[in-house]
Amino acid sequence: MFVMLNTKILVSGADFFALDAPINPYYDNNPVNVAEAMREHAAILNAFHDAGIEIIKVVPPSTSQDGVYTANWGLVRDGKVVLSRLPDARVSEEDYAAKIFTELGLEVIRVPEDWHFSGQGDALPCGRFLLAGSGYRSDPRASKFAADALGFELIQLHAVPKLDDAGNPCLNPSSGWADSFFYDIDLAISVLRDDLIAYCPDAFDDVSRARIAALPVDKITVSYEEAVKGLACNLVSTGETVIMSAHAPNLRSEIEKRGLNVTPIHAPELARGGGYIRCVSLTLGE
């Protein structure tokens, strides 16, 4: 009998969605259609509701362009939350999220001030394991801190960087941090059940691929094209129903072969911010 996943989530809204500070490689210079982003967000919430997920909705922070991406607010387990430390363009979300978590009755735990941590966006629970990214939005020390604080066994992973024309790793021009199309690990790997994951092998370095291969779970591989262009891995699964990108047909087919239902979502406006289904939801309970 599998464990139900993502039974309760925290979401906000796309009311203040913008692309003013290009803090990841997915941004462009075209005007933002906030009304469309809000419609897309509403469609995602409807899919969550139809999948039986309990939704806690809060007002999005007016001080941040990325406040719709609640997955980056922290990592929650057993009544505790490890609060994120975000790029400067999103730093106002930290205290905002801490207030919400406190109102929800969670014990708020803060990582040391000089350690970046991107919350559930860069730290995905999979049973007893925590699949955690490093080198972009999260300091590996923060990943270990979160795993220890919440009682997970850490699986530390590192995604490949974005390269410039000379083949060198890029720094993000807005944040000044190292950059990657997989800046958060939830763009490279996803948890479908506690015993089943999907991941893009080409998103990871050799050490990380070996660590993923050694995990005692079944695995579906995702192409680089679907991971980057379709944001395929950025999904939410209950263990029965998977809410995912409508632009990843190969992954959808493989998921359905495993007996899971799929609800495809088309949300191109929200995708311009480098986030999709997983990013707009923070797991509060499983």
Side-chain angles (χ1 to χ4, degrees):
M1 181 66 181
F2 67 86
V3 176
M4 292 291 291
L5 305 179
N6 300 299
T7 58
K8 183 178 181 179
I9 60 172
L10 177 69
V11 305
S12 61
D15 310 52
F16 307 105
F17 181 61
L19 301 175
D20 298 333
I23 57 174
N24 69 62
Y26 291 90
Y27 285 54
D28 59 47
N29 296 320
N30 297 318
V32 172
N33 187 334
V34 175
E36 180 58 26
M38 293 175 69
R39 284 192 291 269
E40 292 173 358
H41 189 258
I44 294 170
L45 298 198
N46 286 337
F48 289 156
H49 178 270
D50 290 346
I53 298 172
E54 180 183 354
I55 302 168
I56 305 298
K57 192 173 191 301
V58 299
V59 176
S62 62
T63 54
S64 176
Q65 63 181 20
D66 286 340
V68 66
Y69 300 130
T70 54
N72 296 124
W73 287 3
L75 180 66
V76 178
R77 190 186 201 194
D78 295 337
K80 300 177 181 179
V81 56
V82 177
L83 191 68
S84 297
R85 293 199 179 277
L86 301 170
D88 288 348
R90 300 190 64 181
V91 71
S92 65
E93 294 176 55
E94 294 173 12
D95 287 342
Y96 186 86
K99 180 176 181 294
I100 289 170
F101 292 143
T102 300
E103 291 171 351
L104 291 173
L106 298 173
E107 176 188 346
V108 177
I109 302 169
R110 295 179 183 263
V111 300
E113 292 187 5
D114 59 339
W115 296 356
H116 305 318
F117 182 56
S118 201
Q120 188 179 350
D122 217 16
L124 292 172
C126 181
R128 72 178 189 271
F129 302 111
L130 185 66
L131 312 178
S134 65
Y136 303 106
R137 295 292 181 86
S138 297
D139 188 307
R141 296 172 296 179
S143 299
K144 185 177 188 307
F145 178 92
D148 290 346
L150 300 179
F152 287 110
E153 180 179 334
L154 179 64
I155 307 297
Q156 190 69 74
L157 305 172
H158 184 262
V160 295
K162 180 185 177 184
L163 303 177
D164 62 20
D165 292 340
N168 299 312
C170 294
L171 291 181
N172 182 273
S174 180
S175 68
W177 298 4
D179 215 354
S180 171
F181 286 105
F182 311 100
Y183 64 91
D184 270 347
I185 210 70
D186 64 4
L187 292 160
I189 195 166
S190 52
V191 179
L192 300 165
R193 292 193 308 253
D194 281 354
D195 64 350
L196 177 64
I197 64 172
Y199 78 106
C200 175
D202 291 338
F204 292 99
D205 62 20
D206 291 342
V207 172
S208 297
R209 284 197 295 270
R211 289 174 177 169
I212 294 168
L215 288 171
V217 298
D218 291 334
K219 304 168 187 76
I220 299 172
T221 58
V222 180
S223 70
Y224 186 90
E225 181 177 10
E226 286 199 353
V228 174
K229 294 184 179 180
L231 299 182
C233 293
N234 202 255
L235 57 79
V236 169
S237 174
T238 68
E240 291 181 337
T241 299
V242 179
I243 302 97
M244 63 172 289
S245 169
H247 307 285
N250 293 327
L251 176 57
R252 176 179 179 174
S253 176
E254 290 301 317
I255 290 172
E256 290 176 334
K257 287 178 183 177
R258 270 69 173 185
L260 285 80
N261 301 312
V262 171
T263 301
I265 295 291
H266 177 66
E269 195 67 20
L270 284 173
R272 293 173 60 202
Y276 221 64
I277 313 300
R278 178 72 276 174
C279 289
V280 302
S281 56
L282 174 65
T283 302
L284 298 178
E286 297 191 343

